[in-house]
Amino acid sequence: MLEVDLVATVADVSIRPSGPTRAWTYGGRIPGPLLKLTRGDRLIVHFTNQLPEETTIHWHGLRIPAAMDGVPVHSQPGVKPGETFTYDFMVPDAGLFWYHPHVNSAAQEGFGLYGALLVEDTPEVEAGDPLVLVLSDLALDDNGQLASPASGGDLGTLFGREGDDVLVNGRKDPVLRARAGRRQRWRVVNAAKSRYFWVAIAGHRFTRIGGDGGLLTRPVEEDRILLAPGERADVSFVPMGAPGSELDVQWVAYDHGYGSAFNRPPVRMMRIALEPGAQETPVALPVGLGRSIPALADEPAAAGAKTIDLRLTQNNQGTKFAMGINGVPFGDDKPLLATIGETQIWNVSTDLDFAHPFHLHGFFFQVLETNGEPNAVREWKDTANVPQKGSMKLIVRFDERPGMWMFHCHILDHADAGMMGMVHLSP
Ligand code: C2O
Ligand code: CU
């Protein structure tokens, strides 16, 4: 069991050398504390809101009861300034998860409210001791203070607002010490409200062993680690180079729609300083690393599964800019319906020239196809990218946790503009 106090509070953090930034934080720092548990543990968080506005905590990716999911009204009343709320649940799955507010999310998360939650399991421990990396960015003005969350108006919303200060565990361009030849294991979460991360180290490849919901069926080799907002990756790699030299870990622009990659140079987000002394002989990953994940599509419940089309849309109302699902902004929509034990196939698409990381609360799904192509490896997901002018087809089985569950684009500017919906799961 892990029982902690957590306070959301405005605090000074150090981002730029020119002086402190007044940010919104969990526990006075960015990111908030790393919560470490073992699968099956109970987590109790005594939460206090010391922010100037209402907030909640959403536990992204965790299969917990709807009442603990942090969506105002549907899960719990919003926690008002000065008030407290106790989150209390079991963590049923191993994986890297994260937590963030679900009120005014683009602004609150963009101001610095996020943290990681690591749930470990035995086979994962065998893959090596992990380093958790929380990737994010902050939008600051010339004085190093938080920029307006409405900067750029409707266009800012459409593109998704990124901050120029790219952060790894809350710091710009930090240095990680490592030994050449000694295997590293990184567990990475993209906690930025809009920025995609495509992480590269020149001359190196990564072995991805896990995703949102724990280990893959088998490891896959990748040149770069791609993380849309909200996604996680569990990767292993061996830093190589002359002892005493440095490797650059770079953010590379990923084309996720209009103007998102054109003419954008890489950004160094972290350095790896290789220790002086002898280089080690790299050790291979354990043979057979992975786990069996049954294909939901092959289970009896999938026969005759209902298929639901969800189009992610822009749908201005008069002069008011809005985004939505099937042409309807959140608030005017009717919930989808599902019954406990039911399997559904969701065909999520967009005609817009912007990609959308689609997130479903409370349940893992399996991606069947992206732009009509089957996925390379089976894994449990809670957030998956819908490419610009493209589609992503998922399959989900609703287990026995009734309630109102949210789904939305994890570009939080899009979500707040209305690209959200609910599914009502009933017995
Ligand atoms: Cu991480 Cu509703 O979101
Ligand atoms: Cu979107």
Side-chain angles (χ1 to χ4, degrees):
M1 181 171 98
L2 178 65
E3 183 167 11
V4 293
D5 294 320
L6 191 64
V7 182
T9 184
V10 176
D12 281 342
V13 295
S14 166
I15 305 290
R16 292 183 179 170
S18 51
T21 297
R22 182 137 287 207
W24 290 26
T25 70
Y26 289 120
R29 55 205 191 90
I30 296 178
L34 170 64
L35 305 177
K36 270 179 125 173
L37 297 108
T38 303
R39 187 163 65 88
D41 274 354
R42 179 176 173 193
L43 174 63
I44 303 174
V45 176
H46 302 283
F47 174 62
T48 304
N49 179 12
Q50 289 178 358
L51 302 171
E53 64 182 44
E54 185 175 305
T55 193
T56 59
I57 302 181
H58 167 57
W59 306 91
H60 182 124
L62 289 172
R63 297 190 303 143
I64 54 181
M68 292 290 122
D69 194 47
V71 174
V73 181
H74 297 291
S75 306
Q76 63 173 106
V79 185
K80 298 210 166 46
E83 287 187 346
T84 62
F85 187 86
T86 301
Y87 294 94
D88 183 348
F89 50 80
M90 313 281 272
V91 292
D93 303 291
L96 178 65
F97 303 96
W98 63 297
Y99 56 97
H100 63 78
H102 229 287
V103 176
N104 232 342
S105 308
Q108 292 195 3
E109 191 181 309
F111 286 171
L113 291 168
Y114 39 81
L117 189 156
L118 181 64
V119 184
E120 291 191 297
D121 205 356
T122 336
E124 304 202 7
V125 170
E126 282 168 10
D129 205 11
L131 175 67
V132 173
L133 299 178
V134 179
L135 310 184
S136 64
D137 62 10
L138 269 186
L140 303 181
D141 63 18
D142 293 344
N143 299 320
Q145 299 309 311
L146 296 171
S148 160
S151 65
D154 295 342
L155 264 187
T157 303
L158 189 61
F159 278 85
R161 294 176 182 85
E162 296 181 9
D164 286 337
D165 293 76
V166 174
L167 306 181
V168 179
N169 289 343
R171 295 177 54 207
K172 279 180 82 165
D173 196 22
V175 179
L176 172 69
R177 304 208 173 276
R179 185 163 290 277
R182 186 181 296 172
R183 191 169 276 286
Q184 293 264 324
R185 182 175 179 208
W186 291 356
R187 308 207 57 171
V188 196
V189 49
N190 181 355
K193 68 170 180 168
S194 290
R195 180 187 286 268
Y196 282 60
F197 278 84
W198 210 15
V199 180
I201 305 173
H204 288 70
R205 302 192 81 202
F206 301 95
T207 306
R208 191 166 73 89
I209 64 172
D212 294 350
L215 293 179
L216 311 178
T217 48
R218 57 175 172 80
V220 284
E221 295 291 315
E222 287 170 1
D223 290 332
R224 293 172 178 173
I225 313 166
L226 176 62
L227 294 157
E231 285 188 306
R232 286 88 69 206
D234 187 349
V235 295
S236 173
F237 76 101
V238 180
M240 297 300 280
S245 67
E246 276 188 1
L247 297 171
D248 288 350
V249 181
Q250 288 186 307
W251 172 93
V252 179
Y254 178 75
D255 184 0
H256 58 97
Y258 186 80
S260 57
F262 180 70
N263 255 342
R264 296 185 71 183
V267 176
R268 187 172 73 197
M269 46 183 267
M270 179 166 85
R271 282 167 288 162
I272 301 175
L274 298 174
E275 286 165 6
Q279 175 166 322
E280 288 187 10
T281 308
V283 174
L285 278 173
V287 180
L289 190 63
R291 61 172 167 169
S292 76
I293 298 176
L296 286 182
D298 295 342
E299 293 191 339
K306 196 198 291 177
T307 298
I308 295 175
D309 286 315
L310 298 172
R311 281 179 308 113
L312 308 178
T313 50
Q314 183 187 341
N315 29 270
N316 296 5
Q317 299 170 306
T319 57
K320 192 180 172 296
F321 175 87
M323 302 185 93
I325 295 180
N326 292 338
V328 185
F330 185 65
D332 299 344
D333 62 315
K334 290 203 181 57
L336 303 179
L337 302 177
T339 50
I340 283 173
E342 185 182 355
T343 296
Q344 294 188 348
I345 293 172
W346 291 7
N347 197 9
V348 193
S349 65
T350 187
D351 290 334
L352 299 174
D353 193 9
F354 292 97
H356 306 279
F358 183 84
H359 172 48
L360 171 64
H361 284 208
F363 301 89
F364 289 136
F365 55 78
Q366 291 173 4
V367 175
L368 296 173
E369 288 171 7
T370 304
N371 279 346
E373 295 287 323
N375 272 46
V377 66
R378 192 173 306 131
E379 61 182 299
W380 290 115
K381 296 286 289 170
D382 55 60
T383 308
N385 196 43
V386 180
Q388 58 275 27
K389 295 185 172 160
S391 63
M392 184 273 294
K393 194 196 269 191
L394 65 83
I395 185 166
V396 57
R397 184 186 165 275
F398 291 101
D399 63 30
E400 45 294 302
R401 286 167 302 121
M404 295 294 284
W405 296 98
M406 189 161 240
F407 53 87
H408 58 87
C409 177
H410 223 288
I411 291 177
L412 296 176
D413 289 309
H414 292 181
D416 284 1
M419 200 176 274
M420 304 198 284
M422 306 286 297
V423 50
H424 182 193
L425 178 61
S426 50

